[in-house]
């Protein structure tokens, strides 16, 4: 019997209960359709997988396919083999214009444009998006209507006015709004105002060499946030990245509004049903004073190792297409709330009546497509992106908890983020990214 071609696939385990189970089943289904292949799937914690791939490459045994978190995209581009060659090759170039691989239809041209663009550099789709999220506004419409507000806020000013109405509500919640102090929401705030986090078009037209965490857009966001906090509208838990605490505050009706990831859609709607209050899911509010500049995505993508033999490469590419086939991508969306990856998967869901029954699942896709192509909406490519997140969140905590001046504190944060970026580039001048800071994501 002819031996099977083994394709090692390392996937980023996002640590939700049972997250890897359907992915492993898809690998088994692919094997049944292609018995000449064995898809060897391993789940690695999403925060550690990039460093584990790096060490495997140093040993000369990297996986054929590796899934990186979006904020590790530049580290993936910079990754090297132990011989000093690029570890990964372009997915688009490897597909080489084929319409199918091993009988699996190629879906690259059908990827939703904002998702495709995030992982495209110099017109080349370097990796295959698999998971996509954005940030949304969740509203307790029962409390909002009780406060005399009939429409969910669309802008910062409208949200602030709604917070004031909630504050006047007899026996109302102690605060009106909350969100986690996390870097993704800073990214959203900057992008929605048309701003950039780094030079060279956020690292899209060249290697990003300088960051700007003290921009007009950053300070507008920080000052508005501070004002909401000082006026008692914003609930500050005192912790950074407090996703659970802010969710619990919304679920127990301690606040009316919450900014959070689109992945929270199902749980938040269920919290409303359990708590007996209405929930509306809508786009993230934007700054009234500047044109809306679009929203960014988060998520993961699959990277293809360079130098594979043809059989292994074709198996890897075919499996990527299989994961994102219309039926599989649609089922993945249903089970996870992630944005449907391809237009065909979205159309399949719509044809089944899924969005008619679950309209809140449509909002994330509508939002990221709403200003497609705006410079800020492409998102930044940064080395040690997690370090930039840390600099921003620590600065904001000082503003909220210790009364720091936003301009001075974010100027300091910018210096810290610049040191981190410089250190990353110093590593890349040697044998590629190698320090733990190079692989940190969040």
């Amino acid at each position: 019997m002819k031996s099977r071609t083994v394709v090692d696939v390392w996937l980023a385990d996002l640590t939700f209960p049972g997250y890897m189970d359907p992915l492993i089943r898809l690998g088994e289904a692919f094997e049944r359709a292609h018995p000449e292949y064995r898809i060897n799937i391993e789940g690695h914690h999403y925060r550690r997988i990039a460093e584990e791939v790096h060490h495997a490459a140093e040993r000369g045994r990297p996986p054929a396919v590796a899934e990186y978190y979006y904020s590790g995209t530049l580290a993936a581009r910079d990754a090297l083999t132990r011989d000093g060659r690029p570890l990964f090759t372009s997915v688009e170039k490897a597909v080489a214009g084929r319409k199918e691989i091993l009988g699996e239809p190629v879906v690259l041209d059908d990827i939703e444009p904002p998702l495709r663009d995030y992982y495209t550099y110099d017109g080349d789709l370097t990796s295959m998006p698999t998971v996509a999220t954005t940030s949304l506004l969740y509203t307790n419409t029962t409390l909002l209507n009780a406060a005399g507000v009939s429409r969910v806020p669309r802008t910062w000013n409208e949200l602030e006015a709604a917070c004031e109405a909630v504050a006047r509500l007899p026996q109302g919640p102690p605060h009106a709004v909350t969100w986690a102090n996390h870097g993704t929401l800073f990214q959203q705030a900057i992008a929605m105002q048309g701003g950039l986090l780094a030079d060279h078009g956020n690292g899209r037209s060249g290697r990003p060499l300088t960051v700007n965490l003290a921009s007009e857009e950053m300070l507008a966001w920080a000052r508005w946030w501070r004002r909401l906090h000082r006026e008692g509208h914003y609930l500050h838990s005192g912790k950074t990245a407090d996703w659970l605490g802010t969710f619990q505050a919304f679920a127990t009706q301690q606040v009316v509004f919450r900014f959070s990831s689109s992945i929270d859609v199902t749980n938040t709607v269920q919290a409303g049903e359990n708590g007996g209050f209405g929930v509306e899911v809508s786009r993230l509010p934007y700054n009234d004073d500047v044109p809306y500049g679009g929203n960014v995505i988060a998520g993961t993508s699959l990277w293809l190792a360079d130098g594979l033999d043809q059989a292994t490469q074709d198996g890897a590419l075919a499996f990527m297409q299989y994961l994102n086939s219309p039926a599989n991508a649609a089922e993945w969306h249903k089970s996870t709330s992630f944005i449907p990856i391809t237009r065909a998967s979205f159309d399949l869901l719509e044809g089944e009546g899924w969005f008619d029954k679950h309209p809140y699942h449509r909002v994330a896709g509508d939002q990221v497509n709403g200003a497609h192509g705006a410079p800020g909406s492409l998102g930044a490519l940064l080395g040690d992106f997690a370090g930039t997140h840390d600099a921003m969140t620590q600065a904001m905590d000082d503003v909220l908890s210790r009364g720091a001046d936003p301009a001075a504190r974010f100027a300091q944060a910018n210096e810290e983020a610049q040191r981190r970026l410089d250190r990353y580039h110093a590593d890349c001048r040697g044998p590629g990214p190698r320090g733990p800071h190079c692989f940190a994501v969040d």
Side-chain angles (χ1 to χ4, degrees):
M1 180 178 178
K2 184 179 178 181
S3 62
R4 293 193 293 173
T5 299
V6 177
V7 180
D8 291 321
V9 179
W10 287 15
L11 299 181
D13 187 347
L14 299 186
T15 73
F16 304 118
Y19 178 80
M20 291 298 304
D21 295 345
L23 296 169
I24 291 171
R25 288 195 292 270
L26 285 172
E28 293 169 348
F30 182 87
E31 290 176 344
R32 289 193 293 272
H34 303 276
E36 71 274 25
Y37 282 92
R38 184 166 78 85
I39 303 299
N40 183 31
I41 293 178
E42 293 184 18
H44 294 250
H45 195 289
Y46 77 97
R47 288 179 174 168
R48 296 192 295 269
I49 188 169
E51 187 168 11
E52 290 168 358
V53 169
H54 169 72
H55 291 313
E58 286 184 318
R59 297 190 297 271
R61 300 188 61 184
V65 177
E67 187 175 29
Y68 278 56
Y69 199 55
Y70 81 103
S71 54
T73 297
L74 187 61
R77 288 181 53 80
D78 288 335
L80 300 176
T81 67
R82 60 182 178 181
D83 299 324
R85 296 178 292 102
L87 177 58
F88 299 113
T89 190
S90 155
V91 168
E92 186 170 13
K93 288 178 180 175
V95 168
R98 287 175 285 177
K99 298 302 180 184
E100 64 176 41
I101 301 173
L102 304 181
E104 300 293 340
V106 172
V107 301
L108 299 191
D109 290 342
D110 193 45
I111 296 171
E112 290 281 13
L115 281 54
R116 181 184 174 92
D117 286 356
Y118 188 90
Y119 299 104
T120 293
Y121 194 83
D122 282 343
D124 176 39
L125 180 65
T126 54
S127 60
M128 180 81 164
T130 44
V131 166
T133 66
T134 188
S135 305
L136 300 173
L137 171 65
Y138 297 92
T139 300
N140 179 328
T141 54
T142 302
L143 285 174
L144 184 66
N145 292 337
V149 181
S150 59
R151 187 178 72 184
V152 170
R154 297 169 300 176
T155 69
W156 291 2
N157 287 346
E158 288 182 7
L159 179 69
E160 193 165 356
C163 289
E164 292 168 356
V166 169
R168 295 190 294 268
L169 186 63
Q171 298 181 327
H175 302 278
V177 64
T178 194
W179 59 82
N181 180 12
H182 188 269
T184 55
L185 289 167
F186 287 84
Q187 289 189 58
Q188 296 288 7
I190 302 308
M192 286 190 293
Q193 297 176 80
L196 302 175
L197 283 172
D199 64 347
H200 294 121
N202 259 352
R204 296 287 173 174
S205 61
R207 179 168 288 273
L209 299 178
T210 60
V211 292
N212 186 3
L213 304 192
S215 64
E216 292 181 9
E217 294 84 5
M218 179 69 81
L219 295 181
W221 163 245
R223 287 165 177 155
W224 178 69
W225 186 349
R226 178 182 64 171
R227 185 167 71 246
L228 290 177
H229 178 246
R230 284 181 170 178
E231 294 176 356
H233 302 316
Y234 172 78
L235 171 61
H236 178 45
S237 71
K239 302 177 182 178
T240 58
D242 193 8
W243 299 108
L244 179 59
T246 59
F247 174 79
Q248 291 174 335
F250 186 87
T252 56
Q253 303 194 73
Q254 299 302 298
V255 294
V256 176
F257 305 105
R258 179 179 182 240
F259 298 178
S260 190
S261 170
S262 57
I263 199 173
D264 284 343
V265 164
T266 299
N267 289 337
T268 303
V269 171
Q270 186 63 54
E273 293 175 358
N274 294 342
F277 59 91
V279 174
E280 184 168 335
V281 182
S282 59
R283 297 186 182 190
L284 209 60
Y286 57 89
N287 186 350
D288 311 64
D289 296 333
V290 295
Y292 169 63
N295 290 86
V296 296
I297 64 161
T300 62
S301 69
L302 299 174
W303 292 78
L304 179 69
D306 193 20
L308 300 173
D309 62 83
Q310 193 65 49
T312 304
Q313 184 183 85
D314 282 353
L317 289 170
F319 184 59
M320 289 183 187
Q321 311 313 308
Y322 179 76
L323 284 178
N324 286 311
S325 71
N328 289 335
E331 287 302 314
W332 188 234
H333 162 79
K334 288 179 182 179
S335 64
T336 62
S337 300
F338 295 138
I339 298 170
I341 293 294
T342 63
R343 174 50 53 180
S345 61
F346 182 92
D347 291 344
L348 179 61
L349 290 162
E350 189 159 49
E352 292 176 349
W354 170 259
F355 294 119
D356 292 334
K357 296 176 182 177
H358 309 89
Y360 41 85
H361 277 299
R362 183 192 292 272
V363 180
D366 287 348
Q367 176 172 277
V368 296
N369 280 291
H372 169 240
S377 69
L378 291 175
L381 298 180
L382 282 175
D384 195 3
F385 212 152
T388 298
H389 279 184
D390 288 345
M392 294 188 289
T393 56
Q394 291 164 10
M396 198 66 216
D397 186 57
D398 283 345
V399 170
L400 297 175
S401 300
R402 285 165 282 281
D405 173 69
R409 186 60 185 85
F410 276 89
Q412 180 184 345
N414 193 70
E415 294 174 358
E416 171 62 21
Q418 187 64 52
R419 285 194 292 270
R420 291 172 180 262
L421 182 60
D422 291 343
R423 182 173 59 171
Y424 173 85
H425 288 310
D427 271 1
C428 289
R429 286 192 289 271
R434 61 183 186 272
H437 60 281
C438 291
F439 308 107
V441 298
D442 206 351

